[in-house]
Amino acid sequence: PRSARTCAPSAASGLVARSADVLGRLPPTSSSWPPATRTAVGYQPVGTKPSGRLVATSRNVTANIEAERAKDALLRDNAISYFKWDMNRDLVAASGVNGKPAYHGQVQALYALLARLRAAHPDVEIETCASGGGRIDFGVLPFTHRVWTSDCTDATERVRIQRGYSRFFPPELMGAHVSNSPGHQTARRHSLSWRAAVAFFGHMGMEMDPRHLAADEAAELTGWFALHKRLRHILHSGAFIGFDEVDHRHARGAVSADKNHAVVGIYQTQSQSHKSSAPFYVHGLNPKAQYRITLPQPALNPAKMWSAGQLALLGGQIVVSGELLAKIGLIVPELKPESALILEFNAVREF
């Protein structure tokens, strides 16, 4: 597993700034590119911008070579450690210049281009795009390092987005970043603890300029990244545990191969409908082992009510069996909306 990384602004801006320069130095063959689509009778292609841009077909040899040369030059001439292959144009009724269907060939040509770039620049991380959830596929994964799960980085929205993602794809490929507050997509304000907890199980990074954080926020975020790195061998290599949503409470977890160590995240997106929480069952542990439970997160949004027993149990003062956790469960404290708990389970002995 790779370390938690940020998308360096200098690298990203360099990638954009240098594109025009590199393309300008290439032979003037772009005018010879054939159109990406052939307009059928009574059909007008739909552009994504007022300019009505179209897709350059990567099946065309000239287009493919120029795209590869431009990107190869950018990666060779600049200190770029990561780039995202964005996909924001739908291939509507995609066809080649001969009028025949071209979608499948377009995708295969993209895979081949990414494979060549990755072979030429093995230290550069490549991120593929979800394009609103329509473009994540298993075929592209051998050629990329992770997936940008959604352009929406609002933490509350991301809880459901990432739950759906996790039904099909592993967490280590899930681009999940701690974003600004208020979020630029929804204008909602969230605590740093909530934003970090939601990003915690994925390929964790940040979607912000950390220089603008207050000292206490910077210290907290540093703690979250340190915790992620400490537990990443479980988060990204352990067996995934899924949970049903109960009373606006979402959860996910991971258990080590030997079942001696587990991490579970609990996320309360809205107020509970009932005063008492339903039992929270944790499956996948060794039923014969005793576990100590702790709350390792750097900052904790206080629950509405903590009983003495909950404080003792979640503070590591009481050990419980894997069988009890699976059959009887925990009574988790009632959480405030948009707050989370990260639970760490460590086996202390078998009986």
Side-chain angles (χ1 to χ4, degrees), residues 134-207:
R135 293 289 186 94
I136 302 178
D137 64 276
F138 289 102
V140 79
L141 298 185
F143 315 111
T144 55
H145 296 86
R146 63 178 177 271
V147 173
W148 185 232
T149 321
S150 171
D151 281 341
C152 183
T153 57
D154 178 286
T156 300
E157 299 288 337
R158 272 290 187 129
V159 171
R160 288 189 179 277
I161 292 169
Q162 294 175 179
R163 182 173 184 265
Y165 166 97
S166 298
R167 293 179 181 272
F168 302 97
F169 300 95
E172 62 268 25
L173 302 183
M174 182 176 71
H177 292 176
V178 184
S179 61
N180 286 315
S181 179
H184 70 269
Q185 295 98 347
T186 63
R188 282 197 290 227
R189 295 182 179 274
H190 293 133
S191 69
L192 181 60
S193 177
W194 174 243
R195 287 175 280 150
V198 171
F200 185 70
F201 277 81
H203 193 296
M204 190 178 184
M206 65 178 76
E207 200 80 7

Side-chain angles (χ1 to χ4, degrees), residues 207-225:
E207 200 80 7
M208 64 169 70
D209 187 341
R211 295 173 300 179
H212 298 160
L213 292 174
D216 58 335
E217 291 179 319
E220 180 184 345
L221 187 57
T222 299
W224 277 105
F225 280 120

Side-chain angles (χ1 to χ4, degrees), residues 146-307:
R146 63 178 177 271
V147 173
W148 185 232
T149 321
S150 171
D151 281 341
C152 183
T153 57
D154 178 286
T156 300
E157 299 288 337
R158 272 290 187 129
V159 171
R160 288 189 179 277
I161 292 169
Q162 294 175 179
R163 182 173 184 265
Y165 166 97
S166 298
R167 293 179 181 272
F168 302 97
F169 300 95
E172 62 268 25
L173 302 183
M174 182 176 71
H177 292 176
V178 184
S179 61
N180 286 315
S181 179
H184 70 269
Q185 295 98 347
T186 63
R188 282 197 290 227
R189 295 182 179 274
H190 293 133
S191 69
L192 181 60
S193 177
W194 174 243
R195 287 175 280 150
V198 171
F200 185 70
F201 277 81
H203 193 296
M204 190 178 184
M206 65 178 76
E207 200 80 7
M208 64 169 70
D209 187 341
R211 295 173 300 179
H212 298 160
L213 292 174
D216 58 335
E217 291 179 319
E220 180 184 345
L221 187 57
T222 299
W224 277 105
F225 280 120
L227 180 63
H228 174 85
K229 292 178 180 180
R230 179 173 73 81
L231 297 176
R232 187 168 49 206
H233 65 290
I234 301 172
L235 303 177
H236 292 175
S237 299
F240 173 76
I241 313 174
F243 297 86
D244 292 331
E245 178 188 354
V246 178
D247 205 3
H248 308 299
R249 185 181 66 194
H250 300 254
R252 61 179 302 147
V255 182
S256 63
D258 60 10
K259 299 187 178 183
N260 286 332
H261 202 177
V263 184
V264 173
I266 302 175
Y267 306 91
Q268 190 72 39
T269 56
Q270 301 178 40
S271 296
Q272 294 182 193
S273 302
H274 305 284
K275 184 174 179 60
S276 297
S277 301
F280 182 74
Y281 303 99
V282 183
H283 299 277
L285 301 176
N286 181 354
K288 296 183 178 181
Q290 295 266 347
Y291 292 88
R292 191 180 307 279
I293 308 171
T294 54
L295 298 169
Q297 60 205 82
L300 183 65
N301 280 350
K304 289 186 176 180
M305 184 180 298
W306 294 77
S307 69

Side-chain angles (χ1 to χ4, degrees), residues 49-116:
K49 298 286 178 71
S51 60
R53 71 172 65 168
L54 299 177
V55 178
T57 174
S58 56
R59 296 179 69 224
N60 175 263
V61 175
T62 304
N64 204 310
I65 290 175
E66 288 219 15
E68 182 177 355
R69 288 181 60 190
K71 291 168 177 60
D72 181 67
L74 283 169
L75 296 173
R76 279 189 291 102
D77 298 344
N78 298 274
I80 296 172
S81 60
Y82 142 87
F83 74 87
K84 177 188 177 186
W85 192 283
D86 213 357
M87 302 180 186
N88 288 327
R89 176 67 173 94
D90 292 333
L91 300 183
V92 181
S95 61
V97 293
N98 57 5
K100 295 182 179 180
Y103 194 103
H104 182 65
Q106 171 88 359
V107 174
Q108 287 184 316
L110 170 63
Y111 291 169
L113 175 58
L114 290 174
R116 292 193 298 272

